[in-house]
Amino acid sequence: MIDLISLREQIERINADLKQGIDRLTDRSALEAFRIEFLGRKGRIGQLFRLLGQIDAAEKAEAGKLLNDLKTSANVAFEERRSVLENTILQSKIEEEKIDLTLPGVYHPLGHRHLLTQVQQEIESIFLRMGFDVATGPEIESEYHNFEALNIPADHPARDDWDTFYIDETTLLRPHTSPVQIRVMEKTEPPVRIICPGRCYRRDTQDATHSPVFHQVELLWVEEGLSLANLKYIIELFVHEFFGEGYEMRLSGDFFPFTEPSVQMHMRADRSSNWLELGGAGMVDPAVLTKVGYDPEKVTGFAFGLGIDRMAMLRYGIDDIRTFFTNDLRFITQF
Ligand code: PHE
């Protein structure tokens, strides 16, 4: 037999244990284990219910009410604790995953084409519109393409200007884009109409207008009936397209082993500024045409080589060629 008094005592003990233990629980599984200890099928509260049968009939209703109240208040206590727990779990998750929208972002600066690349592409598009193709050739060039085929034999004094960075006995970094003329003519029957922009190398001492690395654009047009007048027209047309109105240009006599006659081209922004040499040009020497198997009695041609860096300097008012190659963003980002 069990009486109400001892039942009450047991209820109080359960309540006390529950109150004491429940607030210490900090995770879901501990809370669930604790709940099963009290409210599970074989839990402490369930065991008390099982004692009901032993209670005196007169006290049964009272005892039942006490036990039901215990069960209800235990359920409430667990629900409260659960919601507190869920809340703190949620809060710490929010805390962990918080994104601070005021933090500065990761900056990925977008690059842009170097001024020389922009200028080169503009030159290409001008000549493409005129019907020229863009050709390319190796920067490590054979002595044959760079010299012999261009009518510059080994003992020719003109070699001095271009005899520069050798890789081995017979290959060198090309000092001009003219060897590409040979490479194109070797592969193509006339008519030939190409330009070739690209990097060149010379043993020049660096100064404001010289750099051991620089850029040229070569032009070659071979066909029946071409004369120096056509050359002058093409150069003038190009200068007009690239520089616009107001620039002055002049051609004067020069010498290149691979052209005959040969000229050099100068430009200036206006009458008060200095002439700047842009490059050389001329009618392709018959000896060069013969070397590539063309018949100089049938076709004639002209070629020029212009300094891209110099043209960019003139157009953008840049007074030192070295600024192109030092990668100073304060310079590069201006264009
Ligand atoms: N290759 C010559 C130089 O670099 C320029 C040139 C090209 C001259 C084509 C005539 C014809 O100086």
Side-chain angles (χ1 to χ4, degrees), residues 118-182:
Q118 295 175 35
V119 166
Q120 178 182 318
Q121 289 179 341
E122 190 180 332
I123 294 169
E124 285 174 14
S125 82
I126 291 172
F127 284 111
L128 283 169
R129 281 202 298 279
M130 292 189 207
F132 288 83
D133 288 329
V134 176
T136 54
E139 288 175 27
I140 297 176
E141 187 52 279
S142 74
E143 226 181 3
Y144 175 77
H145 289 94
N146 195 66
F147 293 119
E148 271 89 31
L150 285 168
N151 207 23
I152 317 173
D155 53 359
H156 198 289
R159 273 227 183 178
D160 291 352
D161 291 342
W162 293 293
D163 244 342
T164 63
F165 301 115
Y166 275 79
I167 305 290
D168 55 39
E169 291 294 315
T170 54
T171 41
L172 73 164
L173 292 179
R174 67 176 181 200
H176 54 173
T177 42
S178 296
V180 184
Q181 291 184 32
I182 306 300

Side-chain angles (χ1 to χ4, degrees), residues 162 176 178 181 202 216 218 256 258-259 280-282 303-305:
W162 293 293
H176 54 173
S178 296
Q181 291 184 32
R202 278 187 206 179
Q216 282 191 341
E218 191 83 9
F256 298 101
F258 38 95
T259 48
F304 67 57

Side-chain angles (χ1 to χ4, degrees), residues 259-318:
T259 48
E260 180 59 35
S262 304
V263 292
Q264 56 180 288
M265 305 163 40
H266 285 86
M267 278 200 57
R268 63 180 177 186
D270 54 58
R271 267 168 193 285
S272 60
S273 47
N274 291 330
W275 289 107
L276 187 76
E277 191 194 331
L278 281 187
M283 300 304 293
V284 180
D285 196 291
V288 174
L289 295 175
T290 309
K291 267 245 161 52
V292 296
Y294 287 9
D295 180 358
E297 297 298 325
K298 262 182 80 182
V299 291
T300 48
F302 57 79
F304 67 57
L306 304 184
I308 296 181
D309 319 70
R310 296 236 174 134
M311 287 195 282
M313 289 168 76
L314 189 59
R315 192 164 106 175
Y316 293 95
I318 295 159

Side-chain angles (χ1 to χ4, degrees), residues 15-170:
N15 265 331
D17 288 351
L18 197 143
K19 248 183 220 116
Q20 224 188 30
I22 201 164
D23 285 344
R24 292 206 203 103
L25 304 174
T26 52
D27 69 80
R28 290 189 183 114
S29 57
L31 182 69
E32 180 60 10
F34 201 58
R35 192 189 68 79
I36 287 167
E37 188 185 329
F38 287 88
L39 286 162
R41 268 199 311 129
K42 290 179 181 157
R44 289 172 66 181
I45 294 174
Q47 275 164 15
L48 279 192
F49 269 95
R50 233 159 276 144
L51 295 179
L52 263 181
Q54 300 174 28
I55 286 202
D56 199 80
E59 295 178 329
K60 217 172 221 157
E62 175 74 11
K65 187 179 172 314
L66 288 175
L67 284 178
N68 277 329
D69 287 350
L70 171 64
K71 197 173 160 182
T72 312
S73 71
N75 270 320
V76 168
F78 276 105
E79 281 319 308
E80 276 174 357
R81 186 66 198 155
R82 174 170 292 138
S83 84
V84 168
L85 249 185
E86 292 299 334
N87 212 25
T88 49
I89 289 170
L90 184 68
Q91 284 308 322
S92 65
K93 212 171 160 189
I94 289 173
E95 204 59 40
E96 259 169 43
E97 295 172 6
K98 190 155 83 178
I99 297 169
D100 184 350
L101 293 177
T102 66
L103 280 178
V106 182
Y107 178 52
H108 297 291
L110 252 197
H112 70 286
R113 292 195 174 89
H114 190 281
L115 177 60
L116 286 177
T117 309
Q118 295 175 35
V119 166
Q120 178 182 318
Q121 289 179 341
E122 190 180 332
I123 294 169
E124 285 174 14
S125 82
I126 291 172
F127 284 111
L128 283 169
R129 281 202 298 279
M130 292 189 207
F132 288 83
D133 288 329
V134 176
T136 54
E139 288 175 27
I140 297 176
E141 187 52 279
S142 74
E143 226 181 3
Y144 175 77
H145 289 94
N146 195 66
F147 293 119
E148 271 89 31
L150 285 168
N151 207 23
I152 317 173
D155 53 359
H156 198 289
R159 273 227 183 178
D160 291 352
D161 291 342
W162 293 293
D163 244 342
T164 63
F165 301 115
Y166 275 79
I167 305 290
D168 55 39
E169 291 294 315
T170 54

